[in-house]
Amino acid sequence: MAKDKSIFTCNECGGTSPKWLGKCPSCAAWNTLVESSTVAESGVRNRFASLAGTAQVAVLADIEASDVDRTPTGHSELDRVLGGGIVQGGVVLIGGDPGIGKSTLLLQALDSLQRAGKKTLYVTGEESGAQVALRSRRLGLDASQVSVLAEIQLEKILGALGSQQPDVAVIDSIQTVYSDQLTSAPGSVAQVRECAAHLTRAAKSAGVCIVLVGHVTKEGALAGPRVLEHMVDTVLYFEGDTHSQFRLVRAIKNRFGAVNEIGVFAMTEKGLKGVSNPSAIFLSQHAEPVPGSCVMVTLEGTRPLLVEIQALVDSGGPSPRRLSVGLDRDRLAMLLAVLHRHAGVACMDQDVFINAVGGVRIGEPAADLAVMLAISSSLRGKPLPKGFVAFGEVGLAGEVRPAPRGQERLREAAKLGFTQAIVPKANAPKKPMDGMTVHAVERVEEALQIVRSWG
Ligand code: TYD
Ligand code: MG
């Protein structure tokens, strides 16, 4: 294939330059030019040239709306986050830390799709065919009919997609794929973006579902999946602690389904198994209540989950630390200020650590009340009572705001044997609940008063 000349495109304004420059000639932003291959031969890029005269414009009401056709992957937890299954021509990006189980899950999914009569292709750039085979044996897929291609060059992968015509293809991983049209190294932003764009186009034109695997780097994933999120139809992220058995797959973007839905898996000897009733897996098992622990009910997608929030408040140095795992650190700073101002709980000279048990990440503000109660419990060295849960958002004025679908959260907690709860007033049930004493509060200081009255 003849080499096209590279051009450099600005990330900010879309302006181009024939060579790399530190400063964009169009918008003067620094370090925004990245390499991409040329589209137009003429040298003059007219952005509308290819569109002239061909496009048909139609009124929305006249376009027939057809629902997308989904093929279930055979793994119900994965189907849940995909919105029912894979879609023809859909591009899915699945990101996560190395070793979390992306390759394992996708190999399992391809195998069941193959069994269901779909043609599948697994393109591996990280492992050899033999390694993939070894993994499939380990997963008990000895007779698997999934086709495997060990290749990292984009043009060859596109060729294989054309000749094999699979229904579903997995590219594991997009960071290893490179195009010889670009001079930059595999894994660089330019390569990852360009290769993903070509694969996306191939998926749309051939009606193949393509799953791109992307590694997230700890440093904020510059060359990772983040730069691809806008290109693809569905973005899934693996979460969880690689040391624990449980993994969450969260949909953060889905053109074909709901977002924020989660799938829960357990890593076993024979690969990932769906956990269909996951509400209690993020609770640690304390024989007796311990100080600094408060259970909250979080609502992930359509399912409530009980998660233990732990806090440790310990005397710190001249500049005390605030660290959080699984919760937002800025929010922690805010909650500490609210605790001080409105409830008189001071942690100024203390280190404060908070953790959501089991590697789960909680983004919703309904965790606020549980975080504050865990902090005050740790500070006082007094445990919260056995069977206690709390949830509710806390505002800067110290008010406790309702969480969406509070009744459902309370019912789930009651079902799992919890007996006492502190919740926002608007979430309190109208009638008393069986086996659950609910304390409704409007302000943080009320919540802390209730807890203090228990000793
Ligand atoms: P992997 O799918 O290779 O992760 P990724 O593709 O996200 O980098 O997962 C590998 C981890 O999973 C590895 O630490 C071993 C473990 N594992 C099991 O516990 N059971 C299994 O059946 C398999 C295949 C892997
Ligand atoms: Mg892998």
Side-chain angles (χ1 to χ4, degrees):
M1 208 178 288
K3 257 193 183 186
D4 278 342
K5 244 187 95 178
S6 290
I7 56 159
F8 294 83
T9 311
C10 175
N11 263 338
E12 294 286 329
C13 69
T16 56
S17 156
K19 60 178 183 190
W20 190 84
L21 295 168
K23 190 175 176 182
C24 170
S26 313
C27 69
W30 286 94
N31 282 330
T32 53
L33 289 183
V34 290
E35 191 186 13
S36 52
S37 61
T38 41
V39 189
E41 277 286 277
S42 65
V44 183
R45 269 163 61 98
N46 178 349
R47 292 195 292 144
F48 300 105
S50 62
L51 302 175
T54 54
Q56 284 200 353
V57 178
V59 174
L60 213 42
D62 297 340
I63 304 174
E64 211 174 312
S66 57
D67 202 10
V68 285
D69 203 9
R70 297 162 204 280
T71 311
T73 61
H75 294 262
S76 57
E77 292 294 305
L78 181 61
D79 289 338
R80 176 191 284 276
V81 282
L82 286 172
I86 55 160
V87 175
Q88 234 195 5
V91 181
V92 180
L93 172 69
I94 179 156
D97 292 336
I100 199 150
K102 301 181 292 297
S103 308
T104 305
L105 179 64
L106 291 171
L107 200 58
Q108 288 178 283
L110 281 190
D111 184 69
S112 30
L113 282 163
Q114 180 78 38
R115 276 167 213 271
K118 294 281 162 193
K119 196 155 190 284
T120 59
L121 177 66
Y122 182 83
V123 181
T124 169
E126 304 202 330
E127 294 161 308
S128 64
Q131 282 171 308
V132 177
L134 200 66
R135 186 200 304 267
S136 78
R137 304 283 186 280
R138 186 169 169 193
L139 294 169
L141 313 174
D142 300 52
S144 180
Q145 298 298 307
V146 173
S147 310
V148 177
L149 169 70
E151 184 54 68
I152 56 172
Q153 197 192 329
L154 175 72
E155 289 71 22
K156 291 192 180 151
I157 295 172
L158 290 171
L161 286 175
S163 64
Q164 297 287 311
Q165 306 202 326
D167 298 305
V168 198
V170 169
I171 313 292
D172 191 0
S173 67
I174 187 66
Q175 275 113 339
T176 56
V177 179
Y178 78 98
S179 162
D180 62 5
Q181 304 290 304
L182 298 184
T183 49
S184 42
S188 63
V189 179
Q191 283 282 8
V192 166
R193 189 169 4 195
E194 193 71 11
C195 293
H198 276 285
L199 288 163
T200 305
R201 234 169 288 148
K204 303 287 172 210
S205 62
V208 193
C209 170
I210 293 191
V211 183
L212 304 173
V213 176
H215 292 295
V216 183
T217 56
K218 286 273 184 282
E219 296 76 38
L222 184 67
R226 283 278 144 85
V227 298
L228 307 178
E229 281 176 0
H230 67 280
M231 270 185 220
V232 300
D233 300 307
T234 306
V235 179
L236 307 181
Y237 275 105
F238 253 103
E239 288 174 16
D241 191 344
T242 38
H243 306 295
S244 97
Q245 190 193 2
F246 296 108
R247 307 279 190 274
L248 296 184
V249 177
R250 192 189 298 264
I252 65 157
K253 164 179 172 180
N254 198 350
R255 289 187 184 143
F256 306 118
V259 288
N260 258 329
E261 195 60 83
I262 59 164
V264 185
F265 295 90
M267 183 60 95
T268 67
E269 277 299 298
K270 287 208 169 292
L272 286 159
K273 294 250 173 349
V275 180
S276 50
N277 193 0
S279 51
I281 60 176
F282 296 110
L283 300 177
S284 53
Q285 310 293 327
H286 304 294
E288 285 303 315
V290 292
S293 155
C294 181
V295 176
M296 76 162 292
V297 196
T298 177
L299 210 90
E300 296 288 352
T302 50
R303 289 185 296 194
L305 278 182
L306 280 98
V307 179
E308 180 181 336
I309 307 288
Q310 297 185 331
L312 180 66
V313 181
D314 199 19
S315 54
S319 53
R321 287 184 293 174
R322 275 91 181 78
L323 286 179
S324 69
V325 179
L327 292 141
D328 184 24
R329 194 158 61 139
D330 293 337
R331 192 130 193 123
L332 169 63
M334 186 198 104
L335 294 177
L336 287 172
V338 174
L339 260 182
H340 179 224
R341 174 58 79 89
H342 296 286
V345 177
C347 306
M348 263 98 72
D349 51 355
Q350 310 275 328
D351 286 340
V352 180
F353 306 99
I354 54 169
N355 174 34
V357 167
V360 61
R361 237 167 264 159
I362 300 179
E364 64 162 2
D368 293 351
L369 200 55
V371 169
M372 287 179 147
L373 292 176
I375 291 171
S376 97
S377 158
S378 173
L379 192 64
R380 300 188 311 131
K382 295 256 169 36
L384 290 157
K386 211 179 168 102
F388 173 80
V389 288
F391 60 84
E393 178 181 347
V394 176
L396 283 177
E399 80 279 17
V400 177
R401 295 206 209 105
R405 292 160 54 202
Q407 308 283 319
E408 211 173 303
R409 297 180 200 235
L410 279 171
R411 276 201 300 276
E412 187 69 22
K415 202 171 91 192
L416 290 167
F418 285 81
T419 52
Q420 276 205 73
I422 296 186
V423 302
K425 192 152 207 161
N427 287 139
K430 305 275 173 299
K431 313 194 283 263
M433 280 178 79
D434 264 355
M436 169 78 86
T437 315
V438 179
H439 307 272
V441 296
E442 283 181 303
R443 306 205 37 89
V444 255
E445 51 269 38
E446 282 174 56
L448 286 156
Q449 248 159 31
I450 296 173
V451 171
R452 284 198 199 103
S453 72
W454 291 332

